Amino acid sequence: GHGRDTRIVWDGPEGGRMFWSNGIAYSRYVGLSWDGRGKAAVGFDHNAQQRFETEVRHEHEAFRNMTGFGIRIGHQQKVASAELLYRNCLFENCGTALAMLTFNDYDNTVDGCEIRNCGVGVFDNKGNFYARNSHFEGSREADFVIGSEHGSSIRRCTSVGSKRFVEERGTIAPLTIQDCHVAAWTDPEGAVYLNGSPVLMFDNSFTRPPSQRPPVKLVNAGQKLLISNNRPEAVDQLVQLPPQAKPYVIPPGRLGG
């Protein structure tokens, strides 16, 4: 495609999907703008029924106005989709920008993307992902909702005006949050919710909070949390702790974020 000059616009029934990838491995989709017009439920559906889908790239694409998902992976899948890259993609006005719904949807990399005014930015139910260098703005529920069963990471991302930055629902897989900068979240309870999976947080900043409560909230007393060189603004501490919970504080090194 040719970026904003190549628009694929949905004019089918409400709740439809614009593209179904039924196991198309070793492929790339470049420079396309998908517009669901508030009618299509799914922009791009990775829903492999016949063979394993791997090594797929989405680059310089836009996904707008999908009632369900900009990109969905794993809906009623019979064979997994894994090793997918999303680079310099825009997601705007979607229910969920990018979703990995089931087991074996692994190694999803989000690099240099922008996600605006969606319900959820990245939703990972069972797989895993690596997000880096991406910007989130105005997410109605959260930028990341995570239930991974393998390790995931969020590095060098920014967030402005979303309800929450991270909602971690799992209790198994480790998560790293590095050098992220979160501003003006709207949930007075906090920007990061942690439910029990081991988490490493370092070199992050939290500015313009909606309340005086710490930006990170632990909801599970068994939470393993390692923190270093994080910078909350206008509050006395980084973490809201349940009884008997204790984070591990690592002294900052010479090199910061």
Side-chain angles (χ1 to χ4, degrees):
H2 199 261
R4 69 185 65 189
D5 295 328
T6 304
R7 295 178 62 232
I8 302 174
V9 180
W10 182 254
D11 197 31
E14 292 191 13
R17 56 183 173 181
M18 297 185 70
F19 193 102
W20 174 19
S21 175
N22 187 5
I24 309 172
Y26 311 110
S27 56
R28 57 189 180 136
Y29 304 88
V30 183
L32 301 169
S33 181
W34 307 83
D35 188 349
R37 295 179 63 225
K39 295 177 65 180
V42 181
F44 202 105
D45 211 15
H46 287 281
N47 182 16
Q49 302 291 304
Q50 297 176 344
R51 67 170 185 162
F52 176 54
E53 184 178 61
T54 184
E55 299 293 346
V56 178
R57 287 190 283 171
H58 289 275
E59 298 177 285
H60 319 307
E61 287 184 284
F63 300 86
R64 293 184 173 95
N65 307 316
M66 310 294 175
T67 60
F69 306 89
I71 297 178
R72 180 173 67 177
I73 306 164
H75 174 67
Q76 298 179 344
Q77 75 177 22
K78 294 182 179 179
V79 189
S81 299
E83 294 82 48
L84 275 66
L85 169 67
Y86 318 91
R87 176 178 288 150
N88 190 35
C89 289
L90 170 67
F91 299 85
E92 194 169 29
N93 299 322
C94 296
T96 296
L98 171 64
M100 293 80 75
L101 299 180
T102 191
F103 297 99
N104 298 320
D105 295 331
Y106 296 149
D107 297 327
N108 293 273
T109 299
V110 180
D111 187 12
C113 292
E114 188 160 343
I115 298 177
R116 291 179 174 270
N117 301 319
C118 295
V120 174
V122 175
F123 175 67
D124 180 22
N125 187 40
K126 298 294 184 182
N128 77 309
F129 69 93
Y130 319 106
R132 57 196 185 215
N133 311 314
S134 295
H135 177 70
F136 298 78
E137 192 161 330
S139 297
R140 294 183 296 277
E141 182 177 343
D143 298 326
F144 295 91
V145 175
I146 305 169
S148 299
E149 302 251 332
H150 289 275
S152 296
S153 60
I154 305 168
R155 304 182 191 271
R156 301 180 303 278
C157 291
T158 56
S159 172
V160 176
S162 294
K163 182 178 180 180
R164 299 173 187 165
F165 183 51
V166 171
E167 182 176 317
E168 206 285 312
R169 297 178 178 177
T171 58
I172 298 173
L175 172 67
T176 296
I177 306 174
Q178 174 195 358
D179 200 8
C180 293
H181 304 274
V182 183
W185 62 97
T186 63
D187 188 346
E189 292 292 323
V192 176
Y193 276 54
L194 302 179
N195 187 50
S197 290
V199 175
L200 168 64
M201 294 183 62
F202 63 102
D203 294 343
N204 302 290
S205 72
F206 298 88
T207 61
R208 292 155 44 199
S211 72
Q212 289 300 305
R213 296 185 179 182
V216 179
K217 182 175 183 177
L218 273 60
V219 297
N220 187 327
Q223 177 75 51
K224 297 295 187 292
L225 176 63
L226 293 83
I227 55 177
S228 181
N229 196 39
N230 298 285
R231 301 173 300 285
E233 181 187 82
V235 294
D236 294 331
Q237 60 185 19
L238 176 72
V239 184
Q240 304 175 54
L241 296 173
Q244 300 180 335
K246 182 180 179 180
Y248 298 86
V249 180
I250 303 170
R254 291 177 300 164
L255 301 178

